Amino acid sequence: MNNLQDWPEPIVRVQSLSESCLDEVPNRYIKPPLERPSIKSSSSSSSFASDDDVNIPIVDLGGLYGKDDTLRASILGEISIACHDWGFFQVINHGIKPELLDRGREIWREFFHLPMEEKQNMQILQRPMKDYNKWPALPSNCREVIDEYGRQVVELCGRLMKVLSINLGLGERRLQDAFGGENIGACLRVNFYPKCPQPELTLGLSSHSDPGGMTLLLPDDQVTGLQVRRGNDWITVKPAPHAFIVNIGDQIQVLSNAIYRSVEHRVIVNSAKERVSLAFFYNPKGIPIEPLKELVTPERPSLYQAMTFDEYRLFIRTRGPKGKSQVESLKSPR
């Protein structure tokens, strides 16, 4: 896929549309009634009375590397339950300074308010992956902040991969090695959601599961937007201060033989406030991904055939976001 027009959903600079002060959402962005967002729980048969009463788990990582074995075991257990029951969780006390998170988020907010000609200097397809000359030069210190942010988030992803691996009953490096070791395909995507005149009719991002390995999202600290599917309901995530939102991607679902599962999520928009979020994707690179042999048994046979992440990503991109149907369609015939 060599340009943005190859993506199956319409891609137009919605920031420009928003700034033109339209009173209505253009027809091409209006979702079918069953796909339109709701802030409250929509299923009368659900056990959740209101999405206001529910949030994804919040895990304090502060004691993960301390000397208290009981506390460490408790943290591992909390993450295990979150992975099994939600596919999403938030982490606090993760080791990255709040000042870096705030500056990283605000740099990108400033970037999106630059003149269009300045923003267009930033390349979209990163080839090579880390060419600083292709990164935005404005706002000031942008490149230095982004570089430090990326370095620290990669380290945090590595620590979380060890936790997931241990919780699967594997050696702490087994998942990382299955990703290709340290040669991972990290990628930062910054999302800007401008104000929308009719947020009840559209979405900032359609329902999907993340095709990669693991995602760390730094959400907007002022505006909610991420919704996670929970049964028949959509739960609006309430971000904890300076927390990362972590979610399992399709590649870890495959490696774990569906012990861990990626979960559908989407983004709603807001009529009064814009929103900025930073999604960091931690992906395998250039290696076939299939269920780990340690997790395949006669009672739980291998559910997926081997496929590289690039092959899977192309498969996804030619079809567009379609909930969980993409990864489920790849299950091996039984």
Side-chain angles (χ1 to χ4, degrees):
M1 186 166 300
N2 295 320
N3 61 69
L4 290 177
Q5 299 308 317
D6 291 336
W7 182 252
E9 287 204 326
I11 296 178
V12 178
R13 294 187 179 94
V14 291
Q15 183 179 2
S16 299
L17 291 176
S18 176
E19 291 171 350
S20 67
C21 299
L22 295 176
D23 294 327
E24 297 181 347
V25 173
N27 286 336
R28 65 177 173 270
Y29 294 109
I30 296 177
K31 294 293 182 181
L34 292 180
E35 296 180 23
R36 293 175 189 172
S38 59
I39 303 303
K40 299 294 182 182
S41 174
S42 59
S43 171
S44 59
S45 62
S46 171
S47 60
F48 305 116
S50 167
D51 139 279
D52 287 340
D53 303 324
V54 184
N55 199 10
I56 62 174
I58 299 175
V59 181
D60 187 338
L61 298 183
L64 188 59
Y65 298 102
K67 297 181 179 180
D68 189 332
D69 292 340
T70 301
L71 178 58
R72 183 173 186 271
S74 176
I75 295 170
L76 291 174
E78 289 179 46
I79 294 175
S80 179
I81 292 170
C83 290
H84 282 283
D85 293 355
W86 283 89
F88 270 81
F89 56 98
Q90 299 187 61
V91 291
I92 59 174
N93 292 322
H94 41 64
I96 301 179
K97 291 183 178 180
E99 295 81 6
L100 179 60
L101 304 184
D102 291 339
R103 184 58 183 144
R105 186 168 42 218
E106 290 313 306
I107 270 180
W108 285 109
R109 195 185 305 277
E110 293 171 28
F111 171 82
F112 281 106
H113 286 286
L114 289 172
M116 184 60 69
E117 57 271 19
E118 289 287 347
K119 290 186 287 188
Q120 286 180 324
N121 288 329
M122 178 185 180
Q123 86 172 61
I124 297 170
L125 298 179
Q126 297 183 5
R127 296 174 182 171
M129 288 297 290
K130 198 168 185 178
D131 183 350
Y132 293 105
N133 293 322
K134 303 292 187 178
W135 291 15
L138 294 174
S140 61
N141 298 325
C142 181
R143 294 176 180 176
E144 293 82 359
V145 172
I146 296 169
D147 193 41
E148 181 62 17
Y149 178 88
R151 185 185 66 78
Q152 293 198 30
V153 174
V154 165
E155 291 178 0
L156 176 56
C157 288
R159 295 196 296 270
L160 290 171
M161 287 285 283
K162 291 179 180 179
V163 170
L164 300 185
S165 195
I166 291 169
N167 280 341
L168 286 168
L170 308 169
E172 68 172 24
R173 286 209 45 93
R174 185 66 176 97
L175 267 186
Q176 189 72 56
D177 290 342
F179 261 46
E182 304 306 320
N183 185 30
I184 49 91
C187 177
L188 174 66
R189 185 177 70 198
V190 184
N191 304 301
F192 179 82
Y193 302 98
K195 290 182 284 188
C196 174
Q198 295 174 298
E200 71 280 2
L201 297 181
T202 190
L203 291 168
L205 191 59
S206 298
S207 171
H208 66 287
S209 61
D210 285 354
M214 177 170 58
T215 304
L216 264 64
L217 180 76
L218 179 64
D220 197 299
D221 58 344
Q222 302 295 324
V223 189
T224 59
L226 176 65
Q227 290 189 325
V228 175
R229 182 180 282 281
R230 177 78 160 161
N232 293 323
D233 293 274
W234 288 100
I235 305 302
T236 302
V237 176
K238 277 72 73 177
H242 297 114
F244 280 103
I245 298 170
V246 182
N247 68 279
I248 301 298
D250 293 345
Q251 302 301 297
I252 286 183
Q253 174 170 325
V254 171
L255 285 170
S256 71
N257 206 24
I259 295 173
Y260 293 159
R261 298 178 63 84
S262 59
V263 172
E264 282 182 73
H265 51 286
R266 66 186 188 184
V267 176
I268 58 175
V269 286
N270 192 291
S271 61
K273 297 180 179 179
E274 66 188 30
R275 178 173 173 268
V276 173
S277 66
L278 283 64
F280 193 90
F281 301 101
Y282 192 82
N283 302 324
K285 186 177 178 182
I287 187 171
I289 300 298
E290 60 185 331
L292 297 173
K293 64 180 186 305
E294 301 96 317
L295 304 178
V296 175
T297 66
E299 296 75 26
R300 193 182 187 92
S302 177
L303 296 176
Y304 306 96
Q305 297 177 352
M307 178 181 287
T308 68
F309 176 54
D310 283 343
E311 291 170 338
Y312 181 64
R313 184 165 52 183
L314 179 61
F315 173 80
I316 291 285
R317 286 185 172 179
T318 55
R319 291 161 176 80
K322 295 182 182 295
K324 282 280 292 181
S325 63
Q326 308 283 30
V327 67
E328 297 302 326
S329 71
L330 297 181
K331 284 187 174 179
S332 302
R334 300 292 295 274

